[in-house]
Amino acid sequence: MTEQNSDSSDTTQALSDRVNNRSHRPNSQAFRDFVASGWDRTPLDAEALTAAGFTPARRAQVSAAFPGERLVIPAGGLKVRSNDTDYRFRAHSAFIHLTGLEADSEPDAVLVFEPEDDGHDVTLYFRPRAGSDTEEFFSDSRYGEYWVGPRADLEAMSTMTGIAAANSAVVDDVITKDLGAISVRLVRQADTRIDGVVDLARTQVQADLETSEAGDAELAQMLSELRLIKDDHEIAALREAVAITRAGFDNVVASLPTALGHRRGERIIETAFETAARSDGNGVGYDTIAASGNNACTLHWIRNDGQVRDGDLVLVDAGAEADSLYTADITRTLPVSGTFTEVQAKIYDAVLAASDAAFAVAADHANRPVRFREVHEAAMEVIAERLEQFGVLPVSAAESLSPEGQHHRRWMVHGTSHHLGLDVHDCAQARAEMYLDATLEPGMVFTIEPGLYFKADDLLLPEEFRGIGVRIEDDVLVTDAGVENLSADFPRTRAEVEAWVQGR
């Protein structure tokens, strides 16, 4: 071992050299002058986004809910994945819903509602494209166009969104101006930097922090509840996401022979789905579950590193996120060999019957008020009855279904339905009376996804049941006449699924 140099300045210099060991760009004035010249800086062509016809009504509802208050809705910032590599950017869902921006737009942007006598002036603050004569253009690997490609200028952003646009360099002053004399509500945890700016300003004016935090929570709640009823643009976006997801599932079925021969067959299935999601959409709306055999009994199995064996069932829970950032959420349970065994068929049919019961109750909203929680209750009645028939319940189905019982939930601990949209579990910050206890209304979109999960180490089960997990999940739109299964194009019955896997 060589002796270490004890000179701290030398050590600091060495560290600096290591930190900057990728910084080989020239720094001469000749280079700076030359790299700034000869670029076509014609303003980008811009067209209004499809969503721009729908977002004014959404913003108007927000404005009406909080008159006289400043509202701050950040998009969020880029997040480091490793060293100087960032994750792909995906803005906060409330920001997307109110601006209509898509794909990877727009890191560090902030939407601000500034109160006026007759409502609010709304401005989108973002980082516009830099001039070719700036350091950012050629040197900034996060924002410079030399590195990340074309960026919008203020005029283009305004054209796309229909919202006045301004440079985000001034946003800190904008959101803290006159704080204390004016109430400010913030969507928290979207952008930690903006959280810090607002928190510091509140402290400086000695604002009541408890009241401020309650106001922030009310804003988040309202923005979540605003998405409970989807407009025509949102429904069309969800249809597109479902269509991309169908293509992904067709890839999955085609991949099964390859998956059988691979030591990580579940990864083959995962990547087969994600090829379609990324090729035709923005990517996946959540981590794909590709769970073979007993892994299907782990509800959030996303490691997907298991083998796929002949005779197993493979549970695939996957959803493509369209460029609009709306996501589908579909689950199918597939017999790898192309045919369900007798025991697998019995379990599959029980789950299908529970799904059918949930659909029937949801559709009945056209005849009577139906609460969202009734969809789950209908599925649970079937699950409990089938488990009683299987002989695994320690009590009767009726006893199990009582609030004091619930024994059947051992084998299905999750809920049957959740709202769907920009988030796979959309509207999650809504009040219970607006979600679980709400009556179904046209425009709601949610999942129906009962399941049964018989873990291999569950000693209360007959041996032939162990290691079998089944879930069937569809995406449902509430209509005036009942409900529409947005995923009706997916094989669903046992015979349809077998034909699908067999290529018939």
Side-chain angles (χ1 to χ4, degrees), residues 483-499:
V483 295
E484 177 188 349
N485 183 359
L486 296 177
S487 46
D489 187 43
F490 286 67
R492 187 166 169 273
T493 67
R494 183 155 47 86
E496 290 169 345
V497 170
E498 288 180 338

Side-chain angles (χ1 to χ4, degrees), residues 298-312:
T298 299
L299 297 182
H300 288 173
W301 178 259
I302 58 173
R303 288 168 58 183
N304 301 339
D305 60 357
Q307 289 184 297
V308 176
R309 296 178 174 86
D310 194 26
D312 278 352

Side-chain angles (χ1 to χ4, degrees), residues 114-277:
E114 187 66 25
E116 298 292 338
D117 292 339
D118 57 350
H120 289 84
D121 281 342
V122 183
T123 303
L124 176 55
Y125 293 88
F126 80 107
R127 188 167 182 153
R129 71 188 308 203
S132 62
D133 58 343
T134 64
E135 185 90 4
E136 178 178 308
F137 173 76
F138 67 86
S139 184
D140 192 323
S141 60
R142 270 194 164 187
Y143 304 103
E145 287 185 274
Y146 201 103
W147 293 81
V148 301
R151 291 178 52 77
D153 55 23
L154 296 176
E155 183 178 357
M157 182 61 72
S158 185
T159 298
M160 290 189 295
T161 63
I163 305 171
N167 195 313
S168 58
V170 301
V171 75
D172 291 8
D173 292 335
V174 169
I175 63 180
T176 58
K177 179 183 177 183
D178 299 327
L179 197 151
I182 188 172
S183 173
V184 175
R185 295 179 188 254
L186 166 68
V187 172
R188 300 191 68 85
Q189 299 181 346
D191 188 323
T192 55
R193 194 194 71 79
I194 296 295
D195 287 355
V197 169
V198 173
D199 288 345
L200 177 60
R202 284 172 172 170
T203 300
Q204 289 173 337
V205 299
Q206 299 182 326
D208 185 323
L209 298 183
E210 187 174 336
T211 299
S212 297
E213 290 173 5
D216 294 343
E218 288 174 0
L219 174 61
Q221 175 184 286
M222 187 273 171
L223 294 176
S224 194
E225 292 174 355
L226 184 63
R227 304 203 303 270
L228 283 166
I229 306 296
K230 269 59 179 179
D231 58 34
D232 288 346
H233 170 263
E234 294 178 282
I235 293 169
L238 284 162
R239 290 186 191 281
E240 181 185 10
V242 170
I244 298 169
T245 300
R246 173 59 203 268
F249 268 85
D250 285 339
N251 284 357
V252 164
V253 170
S255 77
L256 290 177
T258 304
L260 271 168
H262 197 282
R263 67 184 181 88
R264 288 185 171 181
E266 291 174 346
R267 293 273 172 95
I268 299 297
I269 292 170
E270 175 187 354
T271 53
F273 179 81
E274 293 183 0
T275 295

Side-chain angles (χ1 to χ4, degrees), residues 335 338-341 345 491 493-504:
T339 305
F340 291 92
T341 67
T493 67
R494 183 155 47 86
E496 290 169 345
V497 170
E498 288 180 338
W500 192 21
V501 176
Q502 294 171 21
R504 293 189 282 113

Side-chain angles (χ1 to χ4, degrees), residues 252 256 265-267 269-270 288-309 312-318 331-334 336 453 467-471:
V252 164
L256 290 177
E266 291 174 346
R267 293 273 172 95
I269 292 170
E270 175 187 354
T288 298
I289 297 171
S292 184
N294 187 55
N295 290 342
C297 301
T298 299
L299 297 182
H300 288 173
W301 178 259
I302 58 173
R303 288 168 58 183
N304 301 339
D305 60 357
Q307 289 184 297
V308 176
R309 296 178 174 86
D312 278 352
L313 297 181
V314 60
L315 185 157
V316 183
D317 186 335
T331 305
R332 287 297 183 264
T333 306
L334 310 171
V336 175
Y453 312 95
I468 297 175
V470 173
R471 181 162 65 250

